[in-house]
Amino acid sequence: MVNVTKFLRVFVFLCFISFHAEAAVKKYQFDIQVNNVSRLCHAKPIVTVNGRFPGPTIYAREGDRVLVNVTNHAQYNMSIHWHGLKQYRNGWADGPAYITQCPIQTGNSYVYDFNVTGQRGTLWWHAHILWLRATVYGAIVIMPKQGTPFPFPQPDREEVLLLGEWWNADVEEVEKQGNNLGLPPNMSDAHTINGKPGPLFPCSEKYTFAMQVEQGKTYLLRIINSALNDELFFAIANHNMTVVEIDAVYTKPFSTQSLLIAPGQTTNVLVRANQIPGRYFMAARPFMDVPIPVDNKTATAIFQYKGIPNAVIPKLPNLPAPNDSAFALSYEEKLRSLNSAQYPANVPLKVDRNLFYTIGLGMNSCPSCVNGTRLTASLNNISFVMPQIGLLQAHYFDIKGVFKADFPDKPPTPFNYTGAPLTANLGTARGTRISKIPFNSTVELVLQDTNLLSVESHPFHLHGYNFFVVGTGIGNFVPAKDPTKYNLVDPPERNTVGVPTGGWTAIRFRADNPGVWFLHCHLELHTGWGLKTAFLVEDGPGSDQTVLPPPKDLPPC
């Protein structure tokens, strides 16, 4: 009887430990502060989190609750977005300024309080106001529940690689100058890997990230494109990579020598240290397949075998050519959801609402600008105007006059979208217009690039949701033909998708997360020009299908 009692006590204790291990509360303090940082022979003050650039990594486990107290000591208003976290019913923790909340003013604090439900993998966080995400960003690493293994070989070690951009000038002044002139702001002076440009840049020998590896061991690289405006190729000299996850969703593994990653996207790869021990460059360089100026310099870090002296010169990988569209399209075609019994791909097969959004660049009159015009961007010929109060607040508290829920399901004027370049504006309108979606309805959205001024690729991010990328193509989307070629079995599941240059992408999702959710191009340049809108997903009938009440410390407007 004593032994049975002891056993029961131990069993109850272990259950208690297990329960608390699986449902922990992770607390973080983020102090937004200005610090001097040196890169490329230049020192300048930048906005940081806890004095770090990039900022700290958030570690959590599926099922955890996360509380991040953000205190703003900088001169700018601040908001933080937890990119890729679904924030079910909890848009108050999503973070885009003036969409779900007003920003945190200087000297104030706000606690982002959210649960990590049904997600595991690599995501990231970043400032979501002005161009402050140039320096205010970091990784989110979500481990599976206790006792749940990865659906791929267990790595010996993990490493986070944040790909970014660096400006020698004050990035906010760069953006402001571009807006005043009506022109694109100056491009970045370097790309970076974990905040460091690597030795191909001046004064950067000591500003090089190095990762030590051991012969025969396998490493999981959590790669995040934190750049503001550039899609990037990434490769490691002499080493193949096995892609196993994108945007915190497991994929069917495939091997590749290079990968393509758009701003906002994450990609997990396995790399085996199976080459002759030495020093090998990891490198990132932009992909741009139209003649638009980009920072085309190569950022490098070092994949360094243990015991190899630093005097050994690393070898550079063979990255695809900067305009290699064929590689980009073939790489994207290889991405497939794992679609296993444990991780199914629940693709909506019946569509309740079909949306067709055209992506347009144009010019509006601006007498004070350099050419008398200002560059603008639009969806369905509507350039989005940011409100002065959070859209979610306006919706929840029924505040009139903040937005109109009349965003059109299709463009007002059909035309040959990807034909000869059109310099006409097609009457671009400006307004705070969003689309209302019934709860739990299924949505198909086709994003169509256009040749207004120029074709260009665009990475689009939808807040609050993952979606399935069911189809993509070059040229104009043809409703009578292209849907017959959709992948409705194991399409990639993402939160950010690239619309190819002069082409289209079709996504599907179920609108089961009530609230107001931002949809925007993740090129900061285009977002600032108005390439954005939002979905107002209505409440459902159930008590657990409505937007949660706002927290008491919601930042004032």
Side-chain angles (χ1 to χ4, degrees), residues 4-22:
V4 172
T5 304
K6 279 185 178 179
F7 172 79
L8 287 173
R9 284 176 180 167
V10 169
F11 178 77
V12 169
F13 176 73
L14 289 174
C15 288
F16 177 82
I17 294 272
S18 174
F19 173 80
H20 282 269
E22 288 190 11

mmCIF file with all atom_site columns, all heavy atoms in Angstrom, residues 4-22:
data_model
loop_
_atom_site.group_PDB
_atom_site.id
_atom_site.type_symbol
_atom_site.label_atom_id
_atom_site.label_alt_id
_atom_site.label_comp_id
_atom_site.label_asym_id
_atom_site.label_entity_id
_atom_site.label_seq_id
_atom_site.pdbx_PDB_ins_code
_atom_site.Cartn_x
_atom_site.Cartn_y
_atom_site.Cartn_z
_atom_site.occupancy
_atom_site.B_iso_or_equiv
_atom_site.pdbx_formal_charge
_atom_site.auth_seq_id
_atom_site.auth_comp_id
_atom_site.auth_asym_id
_atom_site.auth_atom_id
_atom_site.pdbx_PDB_model_num
ATOM 1   N N   . VAL A 1 4  ? 2.188  1.853  -3.451  1.00 0.00 ? 4  VAL A N   1
ATOM 2   C CA  . VAL A 1 4  ? 1.144  2.390  -4.327  1.00 0.00 ? 4  VAL A CA  1
ATOM 3   C C   . VAL A 1 4  ? 0.949  3.874  -4.069  1.00 0.00 ? 4  VAL A C   1
ATOM 4   O O   . VAL A 1 4  ? 0.843  4.695  -4.997  1.00 0.00 ? 4  VAL A O   1
ATOM 5   C CB  . VAL A 1 4  ? -0.184 1.624  -4.117  1.00 0.00 ? 4  VAL A CB  1
ATOM 6   C CG1 . VAL A 1 4  ? -1.315 2.315  -4.879  1.00 0.00 ? 4  VAL A CG1 1
ATOM 7   C CG2 . VAL A 1 4  ? -0.049 0.179  -4.572  1.00 0.00 ? 4  VAL A CG2 1
ATOM 8   N N   . THR A 1 5  ? 0.930  4.263  -2.780  1.00 0.00 ? 5  THR A N   1
ATOM 9   C CA  . THR A 1 5  ? 0.771  5.673  -2.415  1.00 0.00 ? 5  THR A CA  1
ATOM 10  C C   . THR A 1 5  ? 1.922  6.508  -2.966  1.00 0.00 ? 5  THR A C   1
ATOM 11  O O   . THR A 1 5  ? 1.728  7.586  -3.527  1.00 0.00 ? 5  THR A O   1
ATOM 12  C CB  . THR A 1 5  ? 0.698  5.830  -0.883  1.00 0.00 ? 5  THR A CB  1
ATOM 13  O OG1 . THR A 1 5  ? -0.370 5.020  -0.398  1.00 0.00 ? 5  THR A OG1 1
ATOM 14  C CG2 . THR A 1 5  ? 0.443  7.286  -0.506  1.00 0.00 ? 5  THR A CG2 1
ATOM 15  N N   . LYS A 1 6  ? 3.160  5.969  -2.805  1.00 0.00 ? 6  LYS A N   1
ATOM 16  C CA  . LYS A 1 6  ? 4.330  6.685  -3.335  1.00 0.00 ? 6  LYS A CA  1
ATOM 17  C C   . LYS A 1 6  ? 4.214  6.849  -4.850  1.00 0.00 ? 6  LYS A C   1
ATOM 18  O O   . LYS A 1 6  ? 4.504  7.908  -5.400  1.00 0.00 ? 6  LYS A O   1
ATOM 19  C CB  . LYS A 1 6  ? 5.615  5.916  -2.995  1.00 0.00 ? 6  LYS A CB  1
ATOM 20  C CG  . LYS A 1 6  ? 6.120  6.146  -1.587  1.00 0.00 ? 6  LYS A CG  1
ATOM 21  C CD  . LYS A 1 6  ? 7.458  5.439  -1.411  1.00 0.00 ? 6  LYS A CD  1
ATOM 22  C CE  . LYS A 1 6  ? 8.005  5.698  -0.012  1.00 0.00 ? 6  LYS A CE  1
ATOM 23  N NZ  . LYS A 1 6  ? 9.298  4.994  0.185   1.00 0.00 ? 6  LYS A NZ  1
ATOM 24  N N   . PHE A 1 7  ? 3.788  5.764  -5.495  1.00 0.00 ? 7  PHE A N   1
ATOM 25  C CA  . PHE A 1 7  ? 3.666  5.803  -6.956  1.00 0.00 ? 7  PHE A CA  1
ATOM 26  C C   . PHE A 1 7  ? 2.666  6.881  -7.380  1.00 0.00 ? 7  PHE A C   1
ATOM 27  O O   . PHE A 1 7  ? 2.917  7.656  -8.310  1.00 0.00 ? 7  PHE A O   1
ATOM 28  C CB  . PHE A 1 7  ? 3.220  4.435  -7.480  1.00 0.00 ? 7  PHE A CB  1
ATOM 29  C CG  . PHE A 1 7  ? 2.893  4.439  -8.940  1.00 0.00 ? 7  PHE A CG  1
ATOM 30  C CD1 . PHE A 1 7  ? 3.905  4.406  -9.906  1.00 0.00 ? 7  PHE A CD1 1
ATOM 31  C CD2 . PHE A 1 7  ? 1.564  4.505  -9.365  1.00 0.00 ? 7  PHE A CD2 1
ATOM 32  C CE1 . PHE A 1 7  ? 3.589  4.428  -11.256 1.00 0.00 ? 7  PHE A CE1 1
ATOM 33  C CE2 . PHE A 1 7  ? 1.257  4.523  -10.715 1.00 0.00 ? 7  PHE A CE2 1
ATOM 34  C CZ  . PHE A 1 7  ? 2.274  4.480  -11.662 1.00 0.00 ? 7  PHE A CZ  1
ATOM 35  N N   . LEU A 1 8  ? 1.504  6.909  -6.668  1.00 0.00 ? 8  LEU A N   1
ATOM 36  C CA  . LEU A 1 8  ? 0.490  7.905  -7.021  1.00 0.00 ? 8  LEU A CA  1
ATOM 37  C C   . LEU A 1 8  ? 1.009  9.320  -6.816  1.00 0.00 ? 8  LEU A C   1
ATOM 38  O O   . LEU A 1 8  ? 0.756  10.211 -7.644  1.00 0.00 ? 8  LEU A O   1
ATOM 39  C CB  . LEU A 1 8  ? -0.776 7.682  -6.171  1.00 0.00 ? 8  LEU A CB  1
ATOM 40  C CG  . LEU A 1 8  ? -1.610 6.459  -6.561  1.00 0.00 ? 8  LEU A CG  1
ATOM 41  C CD1 . LEU A 1 8  ? -2.736 6.246  -5.554  1.00 0.00 ? 8  LEU A CD1 1
ATOM 42  C CD2 . LEU A 1 8  ? -2.192 6.628  -7.969  1.00 0.00 ? 8  LEU A CD2 1
ATOM 43  N N   . ARG A 1 9  ? 1.772  9.521  -5.712  1.00 0.00 ? 9  ARG A N   1
ATOM 44  C CA  . ARG A 1 9  ? 2.328  10.860 -5.461  1.00 0.00 ? 9  ARG A CA  1
ATOM 45  C C   . ARG A 1 9  ? 3.290  11.271 -6.587  1.00 0.00 ? 9  ARG A C   1
ATOM 46  O O   . ARG A 1 9  ? 3.246  12.396 -7.072  1.00 0.00 ? 9  ARG A O   1
ATOM 47  C CB  . ARG A 1 9  ? 3.052  10.888 -4.108  1.00 0.00 ? 9  ARG A CB  1
ATOM 48  C CG  . ARG A 1 9  ? 2.105  10.934 -2.923  1.00 0.00 ? 9  ARG A CG  1
ATOM 49  C CD  . ARG A 1 9  ? 2.905  10.860 -1.640  1.00 0.00 ? 9  ARG A CD  1
ATOM 50  N NE  . ARG A 1 9  ? 2.032  10.893 -0.487  1.00 0.00 ? 9  ARG A NE  1
ATOM 51  C CZ  . ARG A 1 9  ? 2.426  10.592 0.750   1.00 0.00 ? 9  ARG A CZ  1
ATOM 52  N NH1 . ARG A 1 9  ? 3.692  10.222 0.961   1.00 0.00 ? 9  ARG A NH1 1
ATOM 53  N NH2 . ARG A 1 9  ? 1.577  10.655 1.744   1.00 0.00 ? 9  ARG A NH2 1
ATOM 54  N N   . VAL A 1 10 ? 4.142  10.322 -6.960  1.00 0.00 ? 10 VAL A N   1
ATOM 55  C CA  . VAL A 1 10 ? 5.109  10.613 -8.039  1.00 0.00 ? 10 VAL A CA  1
ATOM 56  C C   . VAL A 1 10 ? 4.366  10.884 -9.348  1.00 0.00 ? 10 VAL A C   1
ATOM 57  O O   . VAL A 1 10 ? 4.703  11.816 -10.083 1.00 0.00 ? 10 VAL A O   1
ATOM 58  C CB  . VAL A 1 10 ? 6.101  9.433  -8.212  1.00 0.00 ? 10 VAL A CB  1
ATOM 59  C CG1 . VAL A 1 10 ? 6.924  9.618  -9.490  1.00 0.00 ? 10 VAL A CG1 1
ATOM 60  C CG2 . VAL A 1 10 ? 7.019  9.336  -6.998  1.00 0.00 ? 10 VAL A CG2 1
ATOM 61  N N   . PHE A 1 11 ? 3.335  10.058 -9.622  1.00 0.00 ? 11 PHE A N   1
ATOM 62  C CA  . PHE A 1 11 ? 2.567  10.223 -10.855 1.00 0.00 ? 11 PHE A CA  1
ATOM 63  C C   . PHE A 1 11 ? 1.903  11.595 -10.911 1.00 0.00 ? 11 PHE A C   1
ATOM 64  O O   . PHE A 1 11 ? 1.981  12.302 -11.926 1.00 0.00 ? 11 PHE A O   1
ATOM 65  C CB  . PHE A 1 11 ? 1.510  9.118  -10.964 1.00 0.00 ? 11 PHE A CB  1
ATOM 66  C CG  . PHE A 1 11 ? 0.645  9.228  -12.189 1.00 0.00 ? 11 PHE A CG  1
ATOM 67  C CD1 . PHE A 1 11 ? 1.142  8.842  -13.429 1.00 0.00 ? 11 PHE A CD1 1
ATOM 68  C CD2 . PHE A 1 11 ? -0.652 9.725  -12.097 1.00 0.00 ? 11 PHE A CD2 1
ATOM 69  C CE1 . PHE A 1 11 ? 0.343  8.948  -14.567 1.00 0.00 ? 11 PHE A CE1 1
ATOM 70  C CE2 . PHE A 1 11 ? -1.439 9.833  -13.225 1.00 0.00 ? 11 PHE A CE2 1
ATOM 71  C CZ  . PHE A 1 11 ? -0.946 9.439  -14.454 1.00 0.00 ? 11 PHE A CZ  1
ATOM 72  N N   . VAL A 1 12 ? 1.246  11.983 -9.801  1.00 0.00 ? 12 VAL A N   1
ATOM 73  C CA  . VAL A 1 12 ? 0.580  13.297 -9.734  1.00 0.00 ? 12 VAL A CA  1
ATOM 74  C C   . VAL A 1 12 ? 1.603  14.418 -9.906  1.00 0.00 ? 12 VAL A C   1
ATOM 75  O O   . VAL A 1 12 ? 1.385  15.396 -10.621 1.00 0.00 ? 12 VAL A O   1
ATOM 76  C CB  . VAL A 1 12 ? -0.203 13.452 -8.419  1.00 0.00 ? 12 VAL A CB  1
ATOM 77  C CG1 . VAL A 1 12 ? -0.669 14.894 -8.237  1.00 0.00 ? 12 VAL A CG1 1
ATOM 78  C CG2 . VAL A 1 12 ? -1.387 12.497 -8.400  1.00 0.00 ? 12 VAL A CG2 1
ATOM 79  N N   . PHE A 1 13 ? 2.772  14.265 -9.268  1.00 0.00 ? 13 PHE A N   1
ATOM 80  C CA  . PHE A 1 13 ? 3.832  15.275 -9.350  1.00 0.00 ? 13 PHE A CA  1
ATOM 81  C C   . PHE A 1 13 ? 4.318  15.429 -10.792 1.00 0.00 ? 13 PHE A C   1
ATOM 82  O O   . PHE A 1 13 ? 4.471  16.538 -11.309 1.00 0.00 ? 13 PHE A O   1
ATOM 83  C CB  . PHE A 1 13 ? 4.994  14.893 -8.435  1.00 0.00 ? 13 PHE A CB  1
ATOM 84  C CG  . PHE A 1 13 ? 6.176  15.836 -8.528  1.00 0.00 ? 13 PHE A CG  1
ATOM 85  C CD1 . PHE A 1 13 ? 6.107  17.106 -7.980  1.00 0.00 ? 13 PHE A CD1 1
ATOM 86  C CD2 . PHE A 1 13 ? 7.338  15.452 -9.183  1.00 0.00 ? 13 PHE A CD2 1
ATOM 87  C CE1 . PHE A 1 13 ? 7.186  17.974 -8.072  1.00 0.00 ? 13 PHE A CE1 1
ATOM 88  C CE2 . PHE A 1 13 ? 8.410  16.308 -9.273  1.00 0.00 ? 13 PHE A CE2 1
ATOM 89  C CZ  . PHE A 1 13 ? 8.346  17.572 -8.716  1.00 0.00 ? 13 PHE A CZ  1
ATOM 90  N N   . LEU A 1 14 ? 4.527  14.266 -11.445 1.00 0.00 ? 14 LEU A N   1
ATOM 91  C CA  . LEU A 1 14 ? 5.007  14.312 -12.836 1.00 0.00 ? 14 LEU A CA  1
ATOM 92  C C   . LEU A 1 14 ? 3.964  14.930 -13.753 1.00 0.00 ? 14 LEU A C   1
ATOM 93  O O   . LEU A 1 14 ? 4.302  15.686 -14.680 1.00 0.00 ? 14 LEU A O   1
ATOM 94  C CB  . LEU A 1 14 ? 5.366  12.900 -13.318 1.00 0.00 ? 14 LEU A CB  1
ATOM 95  C CG  . LEU A 1 14 ? 6.635  12.297 -12.703 1.00 0.00 ? 14 LEU A CG  1
ATOM 96  C CD1 . LEU A 1 14 ? 6.792  10.848 -13.149 1.00 0.00 ? 14 LEU A CD1 1
ATOM 97  C CD2 . LEU A 1 14 ? 7.876  13.106 -13.083 1.00 0.00 ? 14 LEU A CD2 1
ATOM 98  N N   . CYS A 1 15 ? 2.683  14.621 -13.507 1.00 0.00 ? 15 CYS A N   1
ATOM 99  C CA  . CYS A 1 15 ? 1.614  15.228 -14.303 1.00 0.00 ? 15 CYS A CA  1
ATOM 100 C C   . CYS A 1 15 ? 1.597  16.740 -14.110 1.00 0.00 ? 15 CYS A C   1
ATOM 101 O O   . CYS A 1 15 ? 1.429  17.515 -15.057 1.00 0.00 ? 15 CYS A O   1
ATOM 102 C CB  . CYS A 1 15 ? 0.244  14.652 -13.924 1.00 0.00 ? 15 CYS A CB  1
ATOM 103 S SG  . CYS A 1 15 ? 0.014  12.952 -14.508 1.00 0.00 ? 15 CYS A SG  1
ATOM 104 N N   . PHE A 1 16 ? 1.794  17.152 -12.840 1.00 0.00 ? 16 PHE A N   1
ATOM 105 C CA  . PHE A 1 16 ? 1.815  18.581 -12.512 1.00 0.00 ? 16 PHE A CA  1
ATOM 106 C C   . PHE A 1 16 ? 2.962  19.278 -13.245 1.00 0.00 ? 16 PHE A C   1
ATOM 107 O O   . PHE A 1 16 ? 2.791  20.310 -13.878 1.00 0.00 ? 16 PHE A O   1
ATOM 108 C CB  . PHE A 1 16 ? 1.969  18.745 -11.000 1.00 0.00 ? 16 PHE A CB  1
ATOM 109 C CG  . PHE A 1 16 ? 2.067  20.194 -10.554 1.00 0.00 ? 16 PHE A CG  1
ATOM 110 C CD1 . PHE A 1 16 ? 0.910  20.947 -10.398 1.00 0.00 ? 16 PHE A CD1 1
ATOM 111 C CD2 . PHE A 1 16 ? 3.297  20.782 -10.307 1.00 0.00 ? 16 PHE A CD2 1
ATOM 112 C CE1 . PHE A 1 16 ? 0.997  22.278 -9.993  1.00 0.00 ? 16 PHE A CE1 1
ATOM 113 C CE2 . PHE A 1 16 ? 3.380  22.106 -9.901  1.00 0.00 ? 16 PHE A CE2 1
ATOM 114 C CZ  . PHE A 1 16 ? 2.223  22.854 -9.743  1.00 0.00 ? 16 PHE A CZ  1
ATOM 115 N N   . ILE A 1 17 ? 4.158  18.638 -13.187 1.00 0.00 ? 17 ILE A N   1
ATOM 116 C CA  . ILE A 1 17 ? 5.339  19.189 -13.867 1.00 0.00 ? 17 ILE A CA  1
ATOM 117 C C   . ILE A 1 17 ? 5.088  19.267 -15.367 1.00 0.00 ? 17 ILE A C   1
ATOM 118 O O   . ILE A 1 17 ? 5.373  20.261 -16.014 1.00 0.00 ? 17 ILE A O   1
ATOM 119 C CB  . ILE A 1 17 ? 6.577  18.301 -13.612 1.00 0.00 ? 17 ILE A CB  1
ATOM 120 C CG1 . ILE A 1 17 ? 6.942  18.347 -12.143 1.00 0.00 ? 17 ILE A CG1 1
ATOM 121 C CG2 . ILE A 1 17 ? 7.735  18.707 -14.494 1.00 0.00 ? 17 ILE A CG2 1
ATOM 122 C CD1 . ILE A 1 17 ? 7.859  19.448 -11.751 1.00 0.00 ? 17 ILE A CD1 1
ATOM 123 N N   . SER A 1 18 ? 4.542  18.169 -15.929 1.00 0.00 ? 18 SER A N   1
ATOM 124 C CA  . SER A 1 18 ? 4.309  18.108 -17.369 1.00 0.00 ? 18 SER A CA  1
ATOM 125 C C   . SER A 1 18 ? 3.328  19.180 -17.800 1.00 0.00 ? 18 SER A C   1
ATOM 126 O O   . SER A 1 18 ? 3.536  19.860 -18.799 1.00 0.00 ? 18 SER A O   1
ATOM 127 C CB  . SER A 1 18 ? 3.790  16.722 -17.746 1.00 0.00 ? 18 SER A CB  1
ATOM 128 O OG  . SER A 1 18 ? 3.434  16.685 -19.095 1.00 0.00 ? 18 SER A OG  1
ATOM 129 N N   . PHE A 1 19 ? 2.241  19.336 -17.017 1.00 0.00 ? 19 PHE A N   1
ATOM 130 C CA  . PHE A 1 19 ? 1.225  20.327 -17.364 1.00 0.00 ? 19 PHE A CA  1
ATOM 131 C C   . PHE A 1 19 ? 1.832  21.720 -17.405 1.00 0.00 ? 19 PHE A C   1
ATOM 132 O O   . PHE A 1 19 ? 1.645  22.480 -18.342 1.00 0.00 ? 19 PHE A O   1
ATOM 133 C CB  . PHE A 1 19 ? 0.072  20.271 -16.355 1.00 0.00 ? 19 PHE A CB  1
ATOM 134 C CG  . PHE A 1 19 ? -0.935 21.376 -16.553 1.00 0.00 ? 19 PHE A CG  1
ATOM 135 C CD1 . PHE A 1 19 ? -1.897 21.279 -17.546 1.00 0.00 ? 19 PHE A CD1 1
ATOM 136 C CD2 . PHE A 1 19 ? -0.911 22.516 -15.761 1.00 0.00 ? 19 PHE A CD2 1
ATOM 137 C CE1 . PHE A 1 19 ? -2.826 22.302 -17.743 1.00 0.00 ? 19 PHE A CE1 1
ATOM 138 C CE2 . PHE A 1 19 ? -1.831 23.531 -15.954 1.00 0.00 ? 19 PHE A CE2 1
ATOM 139 C CZ  . PHE A 1 19 ? -2.790 23.414 -16.937 1.00 0.00 ? 19 PHE A CZ  1
ATOM 140 N N   . HIS A 1 20 ? 2.625  22.026 -16.374 1.00 0.00 ? 20 HIS A N   1
ATOM 141 C CA  . HIS A 1 20 ? 3.196  23.368 -16.298 1.00 0.00 ? 20 HIS A CA  1
ATOM 142 C C   . HIS A 1 20 ? 4.302  23.557 -17.321 1.00 0.00 ? 20 HIS A C   1
ATOM 143 O O   . HIS A 1 20 ? 4.550  24.666 -17.787 1.00 0.00 ? 20 HIS A O   1
ATOM 144 C CB  . HIS A 1 20 ? 3.694  23.663 -14.877 1.00 0.00 ? 20 HIS A CB  1
ATOM 145 C CG  . HIS A 1 20 ? 2.551  24.005 -13.946 1.00 0.00 ? 20 HIS A CG  1
ATOM 146 N ND1 . HIS A 1 20 ? 2.113  25.295 -13.757 1.00 0.00 ? 20 HIS A ND1 1
ATOM 147 C CD2 . HIS A 1 20 ? 1.732  23.206 -13.215 1.00 0.00 ? 20 HIS A CD2 1
ATOM 148 C CE1 . HIS A 1 20 ? 1.079  25.299 -12.915 1.00 0.00 ? 20 HIS A CE1 1
ATOM 149 N NE2 . HIS A 1 20 ? 0.826  24.039 -12.571 1.00 0.00 ? 20 HIS A NE2 1
ATOM 150 N N   . ALA A 1 21 ? 4.977  22.488 -17.687 1.00 0.00 ? 21 ALA A N   1
ATOM 151 C CA  . ALA A 1 21 ? 6.013  22.603 -18.725 1.00 0.00 ? 21 ALA A CA  1
ATOM 152 C C   . ALA A 1 21 ? 5.382  22.900 -20.071 1.00 0.00 ? 21 ALA A C   1
ATOM 153 O O   . ALA A 1 21 ? 5.942  23.601 -20.893 1.00 0.00 ? 21 ALA A O   1
ATOM 154 C CB  . ALA A 1 21 ? 6.834  21.321 -18.786 1.00 0.00 ? 21 ALA A CB  1
ATOM 155 N N   . GLU A 1 22 ? 4.165  22.361 -20.294 1.00 0.00 ? 22 GLU A N   1
ATOM 156 C CA  . GLU A 1 22 ? 3.516  22.549 -21.582 1.00 0.00 ? 22 GLU A CA  1
ATOM 157 C C   . GLU A 1 22 ? 2.739  23.855 -21.657 1.00 0.00 ? 22 GLU A C   1
ATOM 158 O O   . GLU A 1 22 ? 2.411  24.318 -22.729 1.00 0.00 ? 22 GLU A O   1
ATOM 159 C CB  . GLU A 1 22 ? 2.582  21.382 -21.865 1.00 0.00 ? 22 GLU A CB  1
ATOM 160 C CG  . GLU A 1 22 ? 3.321  20.091 -22.191 1.00 0.00 ? 22 GLU A CG  1
ATOM 161 C CD  . GLU A 1 22 ? 2.386  19.012 -22.699 1.00 0.00 ? 22 GLU A CD  1
ATOM 162 O OE1 . GLU A 1 22 ? 1.227  19.333 -22.982 1.00 0.00 ? 22 GLU A OE1 1
ATOM 163 O OE2 . GLU A 1 22 ? 2.834  17.867 -22.805 1.00 0.00 ? 22 GLU A OE2 1
#
